[in-house]
Amino acid sequence: MDAIRKQASKLREQVARQQQAVLKQWYGGSDNLVADEAELQLHQRLEKLYISTRAGKHYQRDIVRGVEGYIVTGSKQVEIGAKLSEDSRKYGAENTCTSGNTLSRAALNFARARAQMEKEHGNLLKAFGTQVAEPLRAMVVGAPLEDARHLAQRYDRMRQEAEAQAIEVSKRQAKVRETPGNADNAMKFEAAEAKLHDLKTNMGILGKEAAAALAAVEAQQQRLTLQRLIAMVEAERAYHQIVLQILDQLEGEVRNHIIMSFFSICLVDVKYAI
């Protein structure tokens, strides 16, 4: 049991030394502190931008799906409303009632108003499709977002490669210390260090490029989504205003028919009373 504990303790110490060596190779000495802090900030910024653009993409996709569902449902409502309008028009045109034409005239007014409202409803659905769903769908599947995300993914892979190379440098450095004067080990250590330096340099360049691309996409996502939401609100507001005007006019016409019918009944009563 004691032997197992000693072995476990030895392994823990070895892992700790390797981690410290990797951190030293990765972050370097105090001269590289500013550069390494900048790289860490860049890495964190890329993570935030990646999460933000992914959430923005999902929200845009949710809006598109919601609008498409609204259009499908609304189109069915337009179809039902148009059928109701046509049925009312037919009844009003036939005028089969023998005791007056008040209902027939009201039915014609209703048919006309219903047809106008359904036309406006159809225009609203078209506006939702062309002004909201299509622009957002184009951005969801567009190249700028995917290209920026690919850059960020390439940066992550290069960062992982640099971390692995830092471990390799640590191992080469340990061998150089274990066998002083060994030229082959020294050359391998220098080559590993040079590769790590190149990786970190390229990683910094790629990281900045990815951050700029993702930031541009994020700004476009925010701007476009807000504009399309405003457009949707404005289109629906205009639609309801027009429908309200149609309904106000229809109500006035129906009331007039009711009043005229009432006076007609009164005149008939008076006639028969005389």
Side-chain angles (χ1 to χ4, degrees):
M1 185 64 69
D2 290 340
I4 295 175
R5 289 197 186 97
K6 289 180 180 179
Q7 184 66 22
S9 178
K10 184 178 180 181
L11 287 173
R12 284 195 297 270
E13 291 176 359
Q14 184 178 358
V15 170
R17 285 196 301 269
Q18 288 179 347
Q19 289 176 339
Q20 290 176 356
V22 169
L23 289 173
K24 184 176 180 181
Q25 292 295 338
W26 180 250
Y27 291 108
S30 59
D31 294 339
N32 294 327
L33 184 60
V34 176
D36 294 328
E37 180 65 24
E39 191 281 326
L40 180 60
Q41 290 178 358
L42 176 61
H43 177 65
Q44 293 173 344
R45 175 168 169 73
L46 276 171
E47 286 185 331
K48 292 178 180 179
L49 284 169
Y50 195 90
I51 292 172
S52 173
T53 51
R54 181 179 59 191
K57 175 182 178 180
H58 290 172
Y59 181 46
Q60 288 179 331
R61 188 171 56 195
D62 290 341
I63 294 175
V64 171
R65 289 174 177 172
V67 169
E68 288 175 343
Y70 186 90
I71 291 173
V72 171
T73 303
S75 298
K76 185 62 177 178
Q77 291 175 337
V78 169
E79 181 182 341
I80 295 172
K83 179 66 168 57
L84 177 58
S85 173
E86 179 61 18
D87 291 342
S88 297
R89 186 197 65 77
K90 287 181 179 180
Y91 176 82
E94 290 174 359
N95 192 20
T96 58
C97 182
T98 60
S99 61
N101 62 355
T102 301
L103 179 57
S104 297
R105 293 169 63 186
L108 287 173
N109 292 135
F110 177 82
R112 174 190 50 77
R114 186 81 257 172
Q116 290 177 346
M117 288 189 290
E118 298 310 335
K119 179 181 178 182
E120 295 299 331
H121 195 179
N123 292 338
L124 174 66
L125 298 178
K126 289 179 182 178
F128 278 5
T130 59
Q131 299 179 19
V132 180
E134 290 180 9
L136 291 178
R137 187 188 302 109
M139 186 169 188
V140 167
V141 301
L145 174 60
E146 290 305 311
D147 291 345
R149 290 164 67 86
H150 287 158
L151 284 174
Q153 292 166 358
R154 283 176 54 197
Y155 165 82
D156 282 338
R157 289 194 294 269
M158 187 173 290
R159 196 171 194 271
Q160 293 172 6
E161 187 179 353
E163 289 175 349
Q165 185 62 25
I167 296 175
E168 179 66 17
V169 169
S170 176
K171 292 179 180 178
R172 295 296 178 186
Q173 187 177 45
K175 288 185 178 181
V176 169
R177 290 174 178 173
E178 290 172 1
T179 57
N182 189 313
D184 184 56
N185 286 340
M187 289 178 61
K188 290 181 179 180
F189 170 64
E190 291 176 359
E193 267 197 326
K195 183 178 179 180
L196 176 61
H197 179 269
D198 290 342
L199 282 171
K200 292 176 70 174
T201 300
N202 294 332
M203 184 182 70
I205 296 172
L206 182 59
K208 291 178 181 178
E209 184 179 353
L214 281 173
V217 169
E218 182 188 51
Q220 185 183 9
Q221 277 182 337
Q222 298 288 310
R223 181 174 61 256
L224 178 64
T225 306
L226 179 59
Q227 289 174 348
R228 295 311 92 201
L229 286 177
I230 293 173
M232 185 162 57
V233 171
E234 290 178 344
E236 193 160 9
R237 179 174 178 270
Y239 160 72
H240 286 296
Q241 285 180 331
I242 294 174
V243 168
L244 181 59
Q245 293 173 0
I246 295 172
L247 289 173
D248 284 342
Q249 181 180 351
L250 175 61
E251 183 185 26
E253 292 170 345
V254 172
R255 285 183 181 275
N256 288 335
H257 293 320
I258 293 174
I259 293 172
M260 291 176 63
S261 176
F262 174 77
F263 279 118
S264 297
I265 293 173
C266 289
L267 288 174
V268 170
D269 291 342
V270 170
K271 179 180 178 181
Y272 280 105
I274 294 174

